[in-house]
Amino acid sequence: MQIEEFKLERFFSKYEFKAPHLLCSSDPESFLIEELLSFEPNLSEDLKKVWLGYTETQGNLELRECVTKLYETINPENILVHSGGEEGIFIFMNVALKSGDHAIAMFPAYQSLYEVAQSTGCEITKWELNEKNNWELDIEFLKANIKKTTKAIILNCPHNPTGYVMSKEKLMQVVDIARKHNIVIFSDEVYRFLEYRSEDRLPAVCDVYENGVSVGGMSKAFALPGLRICWTATKNKEILNQMAKFKDYTTICNSAPSEFLAIVGVKHKERIFKRNLEIISNNLKILNIFFDKYKDIFNWQPPKAGTIAFPGIKVNIDIEKFCIDLVDKKGVFLLPSTKYDFGNRNFRIGFGRKNMPVCLIRFEEYLNQSNLLLKDPVLAKTES
Ligand SMILES: Cc1ncc(COP(=O)(O)O)c(C=O)c1O
């Protein structure tokens, strides 16, 4: 198997545990095990009694039962638990796509959502979000690009990196198109439940489409990425069976303590989502003020959901050099759009962590000290 380097993850591996001010994380503020165990009496004692043998390959039954409550029509047999969303993506692409097939994927995107498909020899058409129109997707593009060989449409809403969420009407149009052409929809929903307005929450694709495969998990909405527990949910038994067979060659089964803690997380979902959304909402108020203050420099399109957004820079600079200079000089870590193969004008900013305001102060200090931006009247006036 030949696969391109995962640019975002390589860049993260360089700075994530070295830079003091992470300002582009997509996972919300996490929890200590101690905090999670305080959600119910006796959990500490119960954790000590977790058996450290192999676990059920499909995933712990109690966990799968709890997960069904996140969906409308899904039962435990429709769920396969993975070691992280990344495993679900990797396995799906490998069982559902092959050389000669074609898939259409939202773009920009978390790279594995199209790269793993490409590594199988599958041809990818990138369905680009339109920055000039609030990152909106054009349904006509999707219709025009369906081919006889199209096997999958790959969605990710709420979207990494823009925070875009399509309308329910648009999602149902995508489902209609997929159904008409017998195409599977693979829907990465790891940021679902982090919508700022509940009415923006989309139905899970596995609930509204018989050939829909939804990915959910603990890493984003539940703020527990260190558990490495996610799942795929689908009513398509054939796909789920093939994925289960493939998993025998990746992780076989999941970590028992992680499954125990994931059950606690899923049972206390309302409390976790509320706390995450409070942090996000406070941070977004500050970010709206910040981007208004610097509107001559940045193009800010407020997201609809999740922990990240993808502002543009209006001044004429190389965004990757800018991000590297920022992290080197101030320890503030932003992610340039080059790591998404999406030009050199945008960067990902994250606002799910409690220390975001401090990181932003450091970022502002950099801006104010930087000849590159504010003090150079020529550059500051150069619109892209
Ligand atoms: C859209 C999306 N899907 C999947 C993943 C990977 O999730 P996990 O950490 O559970 O492997 C990420 C991580 O950033 C993501 O943003």
Side-chain angles (χ1 to χ4, degrees):
M1 173 193 183
Q2 295 277 329
I3 192 159
E4 290 289 319
E5 175 175 305
F6 200 139
K7 294 197 174 104
L8 175 157
E9 295 295 354
R10 284 297 91 209
F11 199 63
F12 257 79
S13 72
K14 198 164 169 193
Y15 295 108
E16 188 177 9
F17 293 96
K18 292 201 184 89
H21 306 296
L22 301 183
L23 192 51
C24 60
S25 306
S26 60
D27 45 329
E29 184 84 17
S30 198
F31 294 91
L32 295 171
I33 291 180
E34 194 178 34
E35 288 174 271
L36 215 54
L37 294 179
S38 73
F39 286 0
E40 278 174 44
N42 303 326
L43 283 178
S44 301
E45 287 311 305
D46 294 347
L47 177 61
K48 284 184 203 159
K49 296 197 183 84
V50 170
W51 177 254
L52 292 176
Y54 283 109
T55 61
E56 198 176 335
T57 56
Q58 192 171 352
N60 176 299
L61 180 58
E62 187 184 353
L63 174 60
R64 286 184 285 126
E65 277 165 357
C66 292
V67 167
T68 60
K69 301 201 173 69
L70 303 169
Y71 301 99
E72 299 292 325
T73 59
I74 291 298
N75 62 49
E77 284 66 52
N78 303 133
I79 294 169
L80 178 64
V81 181
H82 300 288
S83 297
E86 187 74 312
E87 189 191 31
I89 296 170
F90 185 81
I91 295 182
F92 170 82
M93 303 296 171
N94 273 286
V95 304
L97 301 170
K98 61 181 184 322
S99 181
D101 288 345
H102 170 247
I104 302 176
M106 278 170 68
F107 186 79
Y110 187 66
Q111 193 176 334
S112 51
L113 288 171
Y114 58 90
E115 200 68 68
V116 181
Q118 274 181 171
S119 78
T120 69
C122 173
E123 181 202 352
I124 290 284
T125 297
K126 291 175 176 168
W127 187 14
E128 200 164 310
L129 289 90
N130 183 354
E131 184 174 12
K132 295 200 173 80
N133 185 19
N134 285 319
W135 298 114
E136 198 50 73
L137 282 170
D138 177 9
I139 201 83
E140 296 309 319
F141 179 93
L142 181 70
K143 285 184 197 160
N145 281 280
I146 303 281
K147 303 183 186 189
K148 284 208 172 71
T149 50
T150 308
K151 294 281 158 50
I153 297 171
I154 300 161
L155 304 180
N156 168 222
C157 278
H159 180 241
N160 174 356
T162 63
Y164 164 79
V165 183
M166 69 176 79
S167 66
K168 283 177 197 147
E169 294 67 34
K170 191 164 280 184
L171 177 67
M172 292 321 293
Q173 282 178 294
V174 178
V175 169
D176 287 346
I177 294 166
R179 190 174 276 129
K180 184 168 156 210
H181 297 277
N182 197 23
I183 296 169
V184 172
I185 301 182
F186 182 80
S187 177
D188 183 328
E189 298 165 2
V190 291
Y191 297 93
R192 187 163 174 259
F193 301 109
L194 291 181
E195 298 78 8
Y196 315 145
R197 302 175 335 146
S198 56
E199 59 267 37
D200 285 336
R201 180 166 313 143
L202 292 174
V205 164
C206 61
D207 276 327
V208 291
Y209 183 37
E210 57 287 359
N211 288 320
V213 180
S214 294
V215 178
M218 307 311 291
S219 302
K220 310 295 175 181
F222 288 89
L224 297 167
L227 294 184
R228 311 306 300 134
I229 294 287
C230 286
W231 53 81
T232 41
T234 180
K235 284 180 274 194
N236 183 320
K237 287 197 181 111
E238 175 60 22
I239 291 180
L240 206 71
N241 280 339
Q242 284 185 27
M243 289 184 71
K245 286 189 209 165
F246 198 99
K247 190 184 161 189
D248 295 339
Y249 286 104
T250 53
T251 58
I252 305 175
C253 66
N254 313 299
S255 144
S258 285
E259 289 197 323
F260 174 91
L261 294 167
I263 292 169
V264 178
V266 180
K267 278 187 179 161
H268 294 271
K269 54 184 184 298
E270 299 306 340
R271 169 183 190 155
I272 294 178
F273 298 156
K274 184 166 173 282
R275 171 272 206 183
N276 293 343
L277 284 167
E278 269 166 20
I279 297 173
I280 290 170
S281 147
N282 287 336
N283 286 342
L284 273 176
K285 279 184 203 138
I286 298 169
L287 276 184
N288 284 331
I289 295 168
F290 175 90
F291 281 114
D292 187 51
K293 185 169 169 191
Y294 294 106
K295 57 176 176 289
D296 290 341
I297 300 170
F298 300 116
N299 178 21
W300 172 239
Q301 314 213 42
K304 280 192 180 163
T307 46
I308 46 180
F310 208 42
I313 190 148
K314 293 178 174 175
V315 291
N316 197 13
I317 55 159
D318 179 312
I319 199 71
E320 184 165 328
K321 283 192 187 141
F322 173 84
C323 292
I324 291 173
D325 194 49
L326 172 66
V327 73
D328 285 347
K329 291 201 174 120
K330 282 278 167 192
V332 176
F333 181 38
L334 284 177
L335 182 65
S337 53
T338 47
K339 301 302 169 197
Y340 282 88
D341 276 334
F342 190 77
N344 207 355
R345 315 289 311 149
N346 295 74
F347 59 93
R348 185 173 100 180
I349 191 160
F351 39 84
R353 304 274 181 95
K354 284 183 185 161
N355 71 345
M356 198 250 17
V358 176
C359 300
L360 201 63
I361 289 170
R362 297 282 167 273
F363 182 32
E364 186 166 26
E365 277 170 14
Y366 174 84
L367 288 178
N368 286 305
Q369 287 161 6
S370 164
N371 292 329
L372 203 61
L373 296 174
L374 299 179
K375 288 184 186 158
D376 185 331
V378 179
L379 280 179
K381 278 180 196 149
T382 312
E383 296 275 331
S384 59

